[in-house]
Amino acid sequence: MKIGLFIPCYINAVYPNVGIACYELLKSFGYDVEYPLDQTCCGQPMANGGYEQDSRKLAERFEDLFSDYEYVVGPSASCVAFVRENYSRLLNHECKTEKSLYDITEFLYDIVKPESFPTPFPHKVSVHNSCHGVRELGLSAASELTVPYFNKIRSLLERVPEITVFEPTRIDECCGFGGLYSVEEPEISACMGRDKIGDHMHTGAEFITGADSSCLMHMQGVIDREKLPIQTIHFLEILTGQKI
Amino acid sequence: MSRTSHSRAAKAFQEDRNNAVWHDETLWMVRQKRDKLSHNIPEWEDLRHTARDIKLYSTSHLPELIEEFEKNAKANGCYVHFAKDAKEYREIIENILKEHGAKKLVKSKSMLSEECELNEHLINHGIDVIETDLGERILQLMDAKPSHIVLPAIHIKRERVGKLFEEKLGTEENNYDPTYLTHQARKALRQDFLNADAGMTGANFAIAETGEVVVCTNEGNADMGMSCQNINITAFGIDKLVPSRESVGVFTRLLARSATGQPITTYTSHFGRPHEGGEQHFILVDNGRSEILGMEQHRKTLNCIRCGACMNTCPVYRRSGGYSYSYFIPGPIGINLGMLKDPRKFSGNVSGCTLCFSCSYVCPVMVDLGEQIYVWRQKLHDLGVANQEKKTMSDGMKFIMEKPKLFNSALKMAPMANHAPRFLLYNGLNKWGQDRELPRFANESFNSWWKRTHKNNK
C-alpha cells in the first residue's frame, strides 16, 4: 500500500527534521511512502486571515497530487484539519483527499497501533494539545466537553521507554499563534504564548512537545526571546529517537 | 500593520499587566467552576444537543410561537406589545410610564435595554432609572457600561467599589469588605424598590404555551422590582421564545452552570400575571432578529441564551477585557452579533480570535461561534474593511505557493535570512519580532533532503 507524504510548507522550510521523522516512522512500519514533489502550502494561512479564495488553486493542486493514494499522511494537525474541513467546500465538489488524509498522530494511533517505540527518551515532556488537533481532529478529549479522557499524542509518547509525560493545567488552552493572528494582534498573541509556556514549565518538563509545529514555532520564538529554560520538540522527533 | 480597533484596545489593556493577569485568572476560575459542574452531569452533551434542537425549532417556528404567546398572555390579563426596532421599544416603555405618571423605574439587568439604549432615553425624558443588579448598579454609579454580559462589573476590583460607595452612598472610609459593601448597596436599593413607580426586567425565556416569561437572577432583584410595583414591564427579543415549560427545564440546567458555575441561579422566577389592580406589559422586540433568521450561515446566533461561557473560555477576551470590543456585547458572541448589527462599524472586532474554537465547544446551545468568525473574515474584503497589509501578505503567499519552482528556489535562498543583520529583521515592520525571535530556516529543506536521498526516485 502506497502512502502519499504531505509535508506542509513551513515544515519543509523550517522543520525538515519533522518531515524526515514522519517519513522514517512510516517506512519503519513497512509502508511504501512516496513524496510527490512540488508541494507547497495547504492555504490555511490565507484562509484563516480572511482570504480563503487565495487557497483555491492550492486545494486543486493538492487534490491532483494526492488523489490516487489510499492514504495521505502529514505531520501537522492544523494543516490536515484545514484540508479536511474546507477543501470540498472551497472546490465545490467532493475531494478524495478529504477522506484519505490523516495526521500522523491519528494514523499511528488508529491504524498502525504500535505497541512501543525502540529509542528511550529519558526526559520530562509536557504535551501541547493544539486547538485544531483537539477540536478539529479530536486528538484528545476537549476540556470543554464531558467526554472520557483520552489523548492520542500522550498515549503514543507513553510507549517510549524512560519518558515522563505531563500536561499543563490549562490542558488545551490556545498558545496564541493563530496564523496571521500572531501579527495582527501581536501583544495578546505573545502574552498567550508566554502564559502557555509558563503553564508547560510549571509541570517541571524540559520539553514542550506536540503534533503541531506551528504552535511550537510560536512558543520557541517566545522561549528564545525570553531565554526560558525549556525547549520545543515535535513528538515525532521523540518517537524516532532523533538526536536533540 | 495598521491596527484594528480590537488590537489597539487589547494592547492598551495589556499595559496594566497585573490587572490583565488578574482578569484572566478570575474568568478562568469561572470557566473551571463551569467545567466541574458540567462534568458531573453524564448527560451534558445530550442536553446541549436537545437545547440546540429546541432553539432551532423555536426560531424556525417564531410566527406560531409569538401568536401562541400573545394569546395566552392576553388570556392571563397581560398587555402584549410589539416593537420592530429600538426606537419603538423605547417609545412603548416611555409611553407606558408616562400614562401612569411614573417618575422612577427600578430595572433588573437586561442586555436588550443596553442594545436599545433605554436608560439614556428615559433619563432624557425625565424618568429616573435605577439599575438593581449589583454589578449594573455599580456601573451606573460610575457611568460605565458592562464589560461582560453575565458578570457586568467583573473587571472592577472591590477597592474601587469601596471608593465609589464612599462617594455616592456615604459608606465608611476605606472599608472594602465585600459583605459590608453588599449590605450598603442593599440598604440603598431597598429604598429604591419601595419608592419607585414601576418595575422592569428583561427575560431569559418566554414560554409560548403559558404566555409567561422566566427571569433568572442571583440577587432576587427582578423579584423585588416586580413585586413591589404594580406597573410591570418585561421586554425581550423574539429569540427568547420557547415552546413550553418543559423546554425551559433543559435550559435552566445549562444556563447557570455555563454562566457562573452554579448548579442553578438563586432565583428562577416566572412572571405571567399582573398584580391585583396592576398591569403587566410584555414587549416583544425584533430589532434585526428576523433578518438574522434569513442568514443561513449566521442563524444559529439566535440560539444564544446569553450565558457568557464563550467569554470566560475565550483566551483573547480574558487577556483583552470586555471594553476592547467595540460592540456592547464582547467576546466571541459579541464579535458575531456586532457583525450582524453593522458589519462595517463593528468589523474591528473580527481580529480578536485565534480560531481556537473553544467557544464553539463550550457553548451550551452549540452556537458555532468560531466558525462564524471565520466566515466573517472572508467577508471583510468585500465589505471594504479588510486589512490591506494582511491582503498583501496573503497575495504574496498565494503568488509563491502557486508556483512550486519559485517556492523551491525560495526554500534554497531562505537560510540566507538567518544571517541577515538584526536591524533588518527586527524593526517596527516585523510584528512577529516585537516579542518573539524569528524561526530559523533549515540549511537543507525537506524538498532538498528528499531529492538528495531519493535520487533514483521521481
Side-chain angles (χ1 to χ4, degrees):
Chain A
M1 181 186 34
K2 275 197 175 130
I3 292 180
L5 186 59
F6 162 40
I7 301 296
C9 53
Y10 73 106
I11 290 191
N12 207 331
V14 181
Y15 300 111
N17 278 353
V18 174
I20 296 168
C22 186
Y23 169 71
E24 285 178 349
L25 257 178
L26 292 170
K27 286 293 276 186
S28 74
F29 292 112
Y31 292 100
D32 188 1
V33 185
E34 277 184 10
Y35 175 65
L37 283 168
D38 293 340
Q39 299 182 36
T40 58
C41 170
C42 65
Q44 183 182 200
M46 298 82 132
N48 284 0
Y51 300 99
E52 67 173 20
Q53 287 311 315
D54 284 354
S55 37
R56 279 196 60 202
K57 274 201 177 151
L58 301 177
E60 273 165 23
R61 201 174 60 233
F62 190 95
E63 185 74 355
D64 283 347
L65 285 175
F66 287 114
S67 59
D68 290 339
Y69 292 101
E70 191 178 345
Y71 289 116
V72 182
V73 180
S76 173
S78 182
C79 307
V80 165
F82 178 73
V83 171
R84 266 211 312 238
E85 297 269 317
N86 298 289
Y87 270 20
S88 289
R89 183 177 45 78
L90 274 178
L91 296 181
N92 298 316
H93 63 76
E94 199 178 321
C95 288
K96 279 186 79 179
T97 49
E98 268 197 17
K99 297 204 171 58
S100 53
L101 179 62
Y102 284 76
D103 173 67
I104 182 72
T105 323
E106 304 172 301
F107 193 76
L108 290 173
Y109 185 90
D110 295 321
I111 293 180
V112 182
K113 300 177 182 162
E115 276 177 23
S116 65
F117 297 90
T119 315
F121 193 77
H123 299 282
K124 296 173 183 168
V125 304
S126 180
V127 180
H128 183 69
N129 299 305
S130 69
C131 301
H132 293 182
V134 175
R135 299 187 195 92
E136 290 193 314
L137 294 189
L139 299 186
S140 66
S143 59
E144 298 89 4
L145 301 183
T146 57
V147 294
Y149 174 85
F150 68 92
N151 188 327
K152 295 181 182 181
I153 301 170
R154 179 174 191 149
S155 170
L156 290 166
L157 282 168
E158 281 171 343
R159 299 169 208 188
V160 173
E162 297 175 39
I163 197 168
T164 314
V165 187
F166 300 106
E167 286 177 82
T169 315
R170 297 187 184 187
I171 196 164
D172 50 17
E173 179 165 83
C174 179
C175 69
F177 174 55
L180 291 185
Y181 179 82
S182 62
V183 290
E184 191 160 31
E185 300 215 342
E187 293 81 15
I188 304 291
S189 172
C191 170
M192 286 167 70
R194 284 191 294 268
D195 290 353
K196 189 76 206 191
I197 295 161
D199 203 0
H200 280 299
M201 284 173 60
H202 203 67
T203 63
E206 309 155 67
F207 294 94
I208 302 171
T209 191
D212 258 307
S213 291
S214 51
C215 312
L216 301 178
M217 175 173 76
H218 162 69
M219 286 188 283
Q220 190 64 49
V222 175
I223 290 169
D224 290 344
R225 174 63 57 89
E226 309 267 324
K227 300 189 171 46
L228 300 171
I230 194 161
Q231 51 177 308
T232 59
I233 183 171
H234 195 283
F235 89 119
L236 291 180
E237 296 176 283
I238 298 175
L239 299 188
T240 49
Q242 284 193 7
K243 292 277 178 285
I244 47 172
Chain B
M1 182 176 284
S2 62
R3 285 187 172 270
T4 61
S5 63
H6 184 267
S7 165
R8 272 197 306 273
K11 179 181 185 231
F13 186 80
Q14 275 294 327
E15 273 156 20
D16 185 350
R17 182 68 193 141
N18 288 339
N19 185 64
V21 169
W22 169 80
H23 190 266
D24 167 57
E25 285 173 354
T26 306
L27 289 161
W28 181 253
M29 216 159 64
V30 184
R31 157 78 207 270
Q32 284 179 304
K33 276 169 73 182
R34 171 259 172 215
D35 289 352
K36 216 168 148 188
L37 288 178
S38 63
H39 285 252
N40 277 333
I41 295 183
E43 68 275 26
W44 183 261
E45 300 307 326
D46 291 338
L47 278 173
R48 288 177 73 220
H49 283 86
T50 309
R52 178 200 59 190
D53 293 346
I54 297 171
K55 274 287 182 179
L56 288 178
Y57 171 85
S58 305
T59 50
S60 58
H61 292 76
L62 269 183
E64 297 99 291
L65 292 180
I66 289 173
E67 205 178 307
E68 195 186 346
F69 179 88
E70 183 186 17
K71 187 183 83 184
N72 291 324
K74 282 183 173 166
N76 292 337
C78 305
Y79 295 90
V80 179
H81 313 257
F82 295 94
K84 71 170 189 296
D85 57 19
K87 185 167 173 280
E88 284 193 5
Y89 158 93
R90 290 190 300 256
E91 286 170 359
I92 292 167
I93 295 167
E94 185 197 339
N95 289 338
I96 297 170
L97 295 175
K98 287 216 163 135
E99 254 173 52
H100 294 86
K103 287 275 165 225
K104 182 169 178 166
L105 174 72
V106 276
K107 199 168 144 273
S108 92
K109 187 167 178 299
S110 158
M111 289 309 282
L112 179 66
S113 74
E114 301 282 344
E115 176 183 326
C116 299
E117 294 167 348
L118 177 70
N119 289 12
E120 298 85 333
H121 178 85
L122 292 181
I123 290 164
N124 287 341
H125 286 79
I127 292 160
D128 190 11
V129 182
I130 305 287
E131 291 290 349
T132 60
D133 172 273
L134 179 55
E136 287 275 345
R137 183 67 183 143
I138 291 167
L139 293 171
Q140 191 180 29
L141 291 173
M142 292 173 77
D143 200 19
K145 296 279 178 199
S147 81
H148 188 290
I149 59 171
V150 173
L151 312 157
I154 190 71
H155 59 298
I156 296 168
K157 291 184 179 165
R158 61 192 168 98
E159 288 79 5
R160 226 170 118 201
V161 176
K163 279 274 167 241
L164 176 78
F165 281 10
E166 274 174 41
E167 191 189 314
K168 303 275 181 179
L169 305 179
T171 56
E172 288 172 20
E173 250 179 62
N174 302 324
N175 192 340
Y176 309 139
D177 176 56
T179 311
Y180 170 76
L181 293 175
T182 311
H183 270 287
Q184 293 302 310
R186 185 174 185 228
K187 236 168 73 183
L189 278 172
R190 179 80 25 147
Q191 291 311 309
D192 294 318
F193 283 127
L194 294 173
N195 298 323
D197 306 305
M200 178 179 166
T201 165
N204 292 86
F205 309 100
I207 306 173
E209 84 173 351
T210 54
E212 69 196 10
V213 301
V214 181
V215 181
C216 304
T217 71
N218 274 320
E219 297 159 20
N221 53 308
D223 309 69
M224 283 295 286
M226 297 291 270
S227 310
C228 293
Q229 311 305 325
N230 271 341
I231 308 302
N232 295 147
I233 304 170
T234 306
F236 50 90
I238 50 174
D239 52 313
K240 300 289 182 184
L241 275 161
V242 294
S244 60
R245 278 186 178 163
E246 198 185 347
S247 52
V248 171
V250 175
F251 296 113
T252 47
R253 295 191 72 194
L254 292 164
L255 179 65
R257 287 185 173 92
S258 298
T260 52
Q262 295 166 277
I264 196 158
T265 48
T266 318
Y267 301 89
T268 301
S269 309
H270 294 234
F271 298 110
R273 282 172 201 282
H275 296 301
E276 223 180 291
E279 288 179 10
Q280 169 70 52
H281 294 264
F282 292 125
I283 309 169
L284 283 70
V285 185
D286 187 324
N287 204 30
R289 285 161 178 76
S290 46
E291 228 171 289
I292 298 174
L293 270 180
M295 302 167 81
E296 206 196 325
Q297 284 173 306
H298 302 293
R299 192 174 292 158
K300 271 203 258 168
T301 50
L302 293 178
N303 284 14
C304 176
I305 55 172
R306 303 290 192 269
C307 70
C310 61
M311 293 161 203
N312 304 338
T313 206
C314 177
V316 177
Y317 171 88
R318 274 187 268 112
R319 288 172 181 83
S320 64
Y323 296 150
S324 63
Y325 302 81
S326 58
Y327 193 57
F328 79 105
I329 296 179
I333 184 68
I335 296 174
N336 283 300
L337 291 174
M339 290 306 283
L340 288 165
K341 177 59 79 186
D342 187 341
R344 280 188 186 81
K345 188 169 171 193
F346 298 113
S347 64
N349 300 319
V350 177
S351 65
C353 172
T354 64
L355 294 177
C356 78
F357 300 111
S358 185
C359 50
S360 304
Y361 269 52
V362 88
C363 178
V365 279
M366 304 183 80
V367 180
D368 49 349
L369 295 154
E371 290 84 346
Q372 292 191 34
I373 293 173
Y374 175 88
V375 170
W376 283 118
R377 282 203 184 150
Q378 310 308 323
K379 295 180 179 170
L380 293 182
H381 185 69
D382 289 341
L383 287 166
V385 290
N387 184 319
Q388 198 46 50
E389 283 121 304
K390 244 168 79 176
K391 175 69 186 144
T392 308
M393 287 168 86
S394 184
D395 283 346
M397 280 190 275
K398 176 175 147 72
F399 184 76
I400 294 178
M401 299 306 182
E402 283 182 358
K403 301 171 186 65
K405 275 192 183 141
L406 186 60
F407 176 70
N408 280 321
S409 37
L411 281 183
K412 289 207 180 82
M413 307 283 283
M416 283 169 60
N418 296 340
H419 307 293
R422 220 178 146 75
F423 73 88
L424 268 183
L425 297 175
Y426 295 91
N427 52 48
L429 296 172
N430 174 6
K431 289 294 173 203
W432 175 279
Q434 183 181 302
D435 291 310
R436 284 162 292 216
E437 291 296 301
L438 290 163
R440 294 178 69 80
F441 291 100
N443 288 327
E444 185 182 40
S445 68
F446 185 86
N447 266 355
S448 303
W449 173 84
W450 182 272
K451 284 179 188 159
R452 179 168 62 77
T453 53
H454 294 75
K455 275 189 180 139
N456 301 324
N457 286 13
K458 53 176 177 174

